[in-house]
């Protein structure tokens, strides 16, 4: 039986092939007689899983050799503290506030450092992206924080800023939780990238950190050892027990991504999916998307029914057609379709077909 199409913002749909492989290997991974979740993280079998996951991720994202890949725990919200604990030196940080997630990052960082707002799109209800040339960057900032895809508001930064050309020597830190592996990353413009796995890489519980080596080793004395990037890097992500099963699942997803042709091929598919959905919404008088065209997210598409009294009927009708978890985030309202890597274009087409039928039915 075909599975429904799941538009959850996260934890989100996984590729069916990945789930199938995990199911097949659940009781016995490669003849070891153990499930991956029953293995010592120090054993040979898990060592292979971890090494393969890191190698595949490095290949997929073209991570340069002078960056460390860390598999951590705590999610994006923990990184909101862990990044300033490691990088701020207790000094100043510039924040580009483009939605709920960067707002949260700013608030958390203020507990450890001087957090400044370099730019904000609050005046447009988080529907625009302030152009980098308008950012008020401070000369003493230890880093600049940007959420490169705002999952809740559906705002994506399609070209990472070149801070050097803006007169800043500070490294750029990106929260790429909700669009990691949906497109290539220009590492020449990034000092650190972090993201929870549960949007685009695997199950919840794994947090990915990719950090330039020279930014490691400057943690504040109060930084917990398990969250000190130097400790984590020196121990190959095994200072404490890493989230072994989540790493295994992410590793299977990386192999799936490679079979799909890698991240550049994924990006082309994601562009096509987003074009289909936004194109339909823009051509309709019944639905609307309020995000400025130049910064619309390819991953998270918030949309509204112009007559919001029809929201419940829309969600019930969608569910009956096997289109799940379309309700918008409570802070924005309306609907949100998250169309991560694992969502095939057939799923987006099914959503558009339903939206068209629903509109006709309501006419
Ligand atoms: C989901 C999300 C987070 C939060 O991650 P947690 O794992 O819940 O801590 C942070 N940032 C962005 C952009 C997200 O989409």
């Amino acid at each position: 039986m075909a599975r429904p199409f799941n538009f959850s913002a996260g934890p989100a749909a996984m590729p069916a092939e990945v789930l199938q492989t995990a199911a097949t290997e659940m009781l016995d991974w490669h003849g070891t007689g153990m499930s991956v979740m029953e293995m010592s993280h120090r054993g040979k079998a898990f060592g292979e899983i971890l090494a393969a996951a890191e190698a595949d991720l490095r290949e997929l994202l073209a991570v340069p050799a002078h960056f460390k890949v860390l598999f951590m725990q705590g999610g994006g919200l923990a990184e909101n503290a862990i990044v300033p604990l490691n990088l701020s030196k207790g000094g100043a940080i510039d924040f580009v506030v483009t939605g709920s997630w960067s707002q949260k990052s700013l608030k958390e960082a203020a507990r450890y450092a001087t957090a400044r707002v370099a730019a904000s799109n609050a005046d447009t209800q988080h529907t625009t992206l302030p152009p980098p040339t308008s950012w008020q960057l401070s000369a003493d900032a230890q880093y600049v924080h940007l959420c490169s895809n705002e999952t809740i508001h559906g705002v994506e930064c399609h070209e990472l800023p070149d801070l050097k050309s803006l007169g800043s020597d500070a490294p750029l830190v990106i929260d790429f939780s909700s669009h990691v592996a949906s497109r290539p990353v220009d590492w020449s413009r990034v000092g650190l990238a972090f993201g929870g796995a549960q949007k685009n890489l695997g199950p919840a519980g794994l947090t990915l950190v990719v950090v330039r080596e020279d930014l490691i080793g400057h943690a504040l004395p109060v930084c917990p050892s398990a969250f000190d990037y130097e400790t984590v890097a020196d121990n190959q992500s095994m200072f404490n027990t890493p989230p072994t099963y989540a790493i295994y699942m992410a590793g299977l997803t990386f192999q799936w991504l490679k079979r799909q042709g890698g991240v550049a091929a994924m990006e082309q598919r994601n562009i096509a999916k987003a074009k289909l959905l936004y194109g339909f919404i823009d051509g309709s008088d019944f639905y609307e998307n309020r995000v400025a065209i130049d910064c619309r997210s390819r991953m998270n598409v918030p949309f509204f029914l112009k007559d919001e009294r029809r929201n419940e009927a829309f969600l019930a009708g969608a569910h009956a057609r096997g289109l799940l978890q379309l309700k918008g985030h409570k802070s924005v309202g309306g609907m949100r379709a998250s169309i991560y890597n694992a969502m095939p274009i057939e799923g987006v087409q099914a959503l558009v077909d339903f939206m068209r039928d629903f509109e006709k039915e309501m006419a």
Side-chain angles (χ1 to χ4, degrees):
M1 214 184 79
R3 301 182 82 219
F5 292 113
N6 178 357
F7 295 89
S8 172
M14 301 271 299
E17 275 176 45
V18 168
L19 296 175
Q20 282 292 358
T21 304
T24 307
E25 297 178 344
M26 179 61 78
L27 299 184
D28 180 5
W29 185 83
H30 295 201
T32 56
M34 294 180 278
S35 171
V36 174
M37 64 182 99
E38 300 172 308
M39 290 173 181
S40 166
H41 58 296
R42 311 259 175 223
K44 182 168 174 286
F46 184 73
E48 284 170 23
I49 291 170
L50 181 70
E54 176 170 343
D56 286 340
L57 180 76
R58 282 187 173 275
E59 180 184 334
L60 281 163
L61 293 185
V63 178
H66 62 295
F67 282 71
K68 292 280 188 202
V69 170
L70 310 178
F71 295 112
M72 299 181 67
Q73 304 190 50
L77 287 190
E79 289 302 325
N80 283 346
I82 296 168
V83 177
L85 282 166
N86 278 276
L87 265 56
S88 75
K89 300 173 185 161
I93 311 167
D94 285 339
F95 283 84
V96 180
V97 176
T98 50
S100 302
W101 290 115
S102 41
Q103 188 67 49
K104 278 190 211 253
S105 304
L106 166 82
K107 198 171 162 209
E108 184 72 11
R111 303 178 58 183
Y112 308 102
T114 305
R116 298 185 182 135
V117 178
S120 167
N121 63 357
D123 57 331
T124 65
Q125 285 74 52
H126 307 303
T127 59
T128 53
L129 197 62
T133 48
S134 73
W135 299 358
Q136 304 287 312
L137 300 174
S138 22
D140 60 345
Q142 298 298 322
Y143 65 92
V144 177
H145 177 106
L146 170 73
C147 177
S148 45
N149 185 60
E150 285 279 1
T151 322
I152 293 176
H153 291 89
V155 170
E156 183 168 6
C157 181
H158 289 294
E159 194 194 343
L160 293 177
D162 175 7
L163 295 185
K164 280 221 164 48
S165 78
L166 300 170
S168 167
D169 285 327
L172 178 69
V173 169
I174 58 171
D175 174 355
F176 68 168
S177 296
S178 53
H179 72 166
V180 53
S182 73
R183 57 191 308 156
V185 176
D186 182 351
W187 293 105
S188 74
R189 297 185 172 188
V190 175
L192 182 149
F194 71 84
Q198 71 270 27
K199 315 288 165 61
N200 224 0
L201 300 181
L206 166 65
T207 313
L208 174 68
V209 176
V210 183
V211 54
R212 221 172 59 204
E213 271 168 359
D214 62 289
L215 300 175
I216 296 177
H218 311 285
L220 296 176
V222 295
C223 181
S225 306
F227 292 155
D228 182 332
Y229 294 141
E230 186 172 40
T231 310
V232 180
D234 286 351
N235 290 278
Q236 287 76 44
S237 299
M238 295 224 265
F239 172 71
N240 56 337
T241 311
T244 52
Y245 199 76
I247 291 170
Y248 158 70
M249 291 296 286
L252 293 181
T253 306
F254 301 156
Q255 289 167 16
W256 175 82
L257 278 167
K258 286 170 72 174
R259 292 197 298 276
Q260 305 305 303
V263 165
M266 245 21 254
E267 180 181 38
Q268 291 313 309
R269 278 180 218 154
N270 289 326
I271 289 172
K273 279 150 54 184
K275 198 169 163 215
L276 174 60
L277 185 50
Y278 285 113
F280 172 75
I281 294 170
D282 289 344
S284 152
D285 293 326
F286 193 84
Y287 304 99
E288 68 171 325
N289 171 278
R290 298 172 185 166
V291 178
I293 288 175
D294 65 330
C295 58
R296 284 175 166 181
S297 171
R298 291 176 191 155
M299 297 283 103
N300 310 98
V301 183
F303 64 92
F304 298 87
L305 277 63
K306 288 197 180 157
D307 181 352
E308 297 228 88
R309 290 169 304 179
R310 306 209 192 277
N311 283 358
E312 289 309 314
F314 178 89
L315 287 167
H319 195 271
R321 293 257 289 250
L323 306 169
L324 310 184
Q325 308 204 69
L326 282 161
K327 195 178 166 116
H329 190 272
K330 59 185 186 302
S331 65
V332 173
M335 308 297 155
R336 174 174 48 167
S338 294
I339 51 175
Y340 299 119
N341 285 342
M343 175 62 65
I345 194 151
E346 291 76 17
V348 180
Q349 188 61 57
L351 173 60
V352 165
D353 292 344
F354 165 71
M355 289 169 74
R356 190 180 287 117
D357 291 349
F358 184 79
E359 178 175 349
K360 274 198 201 117
E361 202 184 302
M362 294 297 133

